[in-house]
Amino acid sequence: CGLFYMLFFPFCIWNVDAWLGRRLVHIWVWVMYLGQCTKDVIRWPRPASPPVVKLEVFYNSEYSMPSTHAMSGTAIPLALLLLSHGRWQYPLMFGLILAFCWCSLVCCSRIYMGMHSILDVIAGFLYAVLILVVFHPVVDLIDNFNLTYKYAPLIVISLHLALGIFSFTLDTWSTSRGDTAQILGSGAGVACGSHVSYMLGLNLDPPPSMLPLSLSSLTVTVFGKAMLRLLIGVVILLLTKIAMKKATIPLACKIFRIPHDDVRKARQRMEVELPYRYITYGMVGFSLMFIIPCLFQFIGLS
């Protein structure tokens, strides 16, 4: 799941449409945050094994209701369809089929993997649709605020940090706490990177007069440059993640006087996990939107 996000959002932002990519990130952050918090409030356990055969155990410490995989697997393709249709020229039926297949595959896979019941998945699907109904009409306002308001970075960083602290108080440690901080950090980093790019006049979105956009003919050169951007960019994102992780965990342990001989145990403390995840993925999001696009312009890959 993390690998998918590490490839999908960068590909969309660097190679397709940054306007579209930013909005997808905004919706993804809110869908995943609300889903993770709802899990920790309802506290339904995973399906019992036996009789269920579990093919995945990494997320076993999390609660089950609703399925956040089903939520993201519903919200992202539906948001992609809603945001891109009319902005890009393509057959509506193609978008509908893609959204249906994407959503169906993700939802069915969670049942097949033994991680969710049918009820978890249906609830996740409906919850994602409800959140999308609420947030889709205001996503343009959110993005415009992030880009243009002078104090937007300070407000976004503070808001996401407060939401992270709140979510950490809902329950004892589980993988969902780290995922929540990771998602909020990524969203804050993307918002701050977008703001800096906009203020410096970099990577401006196409003016309304150019809409709708058409898919350029795919040539070897276009495909090669897209893959090169993705390869170079993702490597930099991974190096950023590794470097920030190496720096933030020992620093947080030192500041809060927590022994870091056992890093795994130290990371289960809120004082370590929240700043580590938030700062690390905040820098990943900032690099995604500002540092790496600047590098592409410098080396002639933009």
Side-chain angles (χ1 to χ4, degrees), residues 5 16 44 133 256 283:
Y5 295 134
V16 181
W44 281 18
V133 167
F256 295 104
M283 275 305 301

Side-chain angles (χ1 to χ4, degrees), residues 206-225:
S209 59
M210 290 184 62
L211 303 179
L213 303 170
S214 60
L215 296 171
S216 60
S217 56
L218 186 63
T219 63
V220 174
T221 303
V222 170
F223 179 78
K225 288 183 74 172

Side-chain angles (χ1 to χ4, degrees), residues 23 26 139-149 198:
R23 283 158 175 75
H26 299 328
V139 72
D140 284 340
L141 292 175
I142 293 171
D143 188 64
N144 188 60
F145 171 83
N146 289 341
L147 293 181
T148 61
Y149 186 61
Y198 180 83

Side-chain angles (χ1 to χ4, degrees), residues 29-56:
V29 167
W30 283 104
V31 165
M32 292 298 291
Y33 176 76
L34 291 172
Q36 295 285 22
C37 287
T38 303
K39 276 185 178 182
D40 289 338
V41 171
I42 296 176
R43 301 185 183 183
W44 281 18
R46 296 283 186 182
S49 177
V52 170
V53 177
K54 294 188 177 180
L55 302 181
E56 180 184 273

